Amino acid sequence: FLSAYNEDLVRATVQECNQHFDEINKMTKAVPADAIPMDCAPFLKLHEAALMRNKRCLLAYHSYRLDKLREMRSETANAVLTPDIRATFGEAELDFYSEYDRLVSNYGAQYGVNLTADLSPPDAEEHYVQVRVVQEGLGKIVTESGNSLVLELGSTHFVRRADVEHLVVQGMLEQLD
């Protein structure tokens, strides 16, 4: 699921970034920016490219791990981590997870919302149906959602299933789906 935090590799990469930064500073420290010798330019570009690559790699690694931590929190109703999962986190990641859990829990409690109850938005096809009026004399109705429908014989409507399900069961409307 989430591999153990590779602290040794992260430290080595940060150390390498510092070395590249030091090399850039050594080459440019005594020389004004517009007077850098042409023979130094390739070395400066090399160190800068390596520094930027390492930075992108570290940011991608940590961003991926934080996304996984958020995903773990959203997938579990209780935010308690098992010891084997906790062992894969770094110390800063455990702090992040605890604080993120606290924020999500407080937000949900403040607004009375369970943020882990339904993780995907409702699918329109699941909640809406197309119906045809098969019984005369139904007239105008107001649905539970507050919409009004004029139900004339033979007319078709695309409406919430919950609003017309009782009429379908009674045989007044025919579901076309």
Side-chain angles (χ1 to χ4, degrees), residues 95-156:
D95 292 342
F96 171 83
Y97 186 85
S98 297
E99 184 64 19
Y100 183 72
D101 173 51
R102 188 185 67 74
L103 288 171
V104 169
S105 298
N106 288 348
Y107 182 84
Q110 181 179 357
Y111 293 102
V113 177
N114 181 359
L115 297 174
T116 61
D118 190 7
L119 299 177
S120 60
D123 188 9
E125 294 176 8
E126 290 178 19
H127 298 287
Y128 285 82
V129 292
Q130 188 168 11
V131 293
R132 177 181 296 129
V133 179
V134 293
Q135 184 175 338
E136 225 177 299
L138 294 178
K140 182 177 179 179
I141 65 164
V142 177
T143 64
E144 291 176 14
S145 60
N147 297 324
S148 61
L149 292 172
V150 177
L151 301 176
E152 297 175 351
L153 183 63
S155 64
T156 60

Side-chain angles (χ1 to χ4, degrees), residues 37-53:
M38 287 302 290
D39 60 334
C40 288
F43 297 108
L44 288 173
K45 285 285 190 189
L46 175 72
H47 287 293
E48 180 193 23
L51 181 65
M52 297 308 287
R53 179 189 174 280

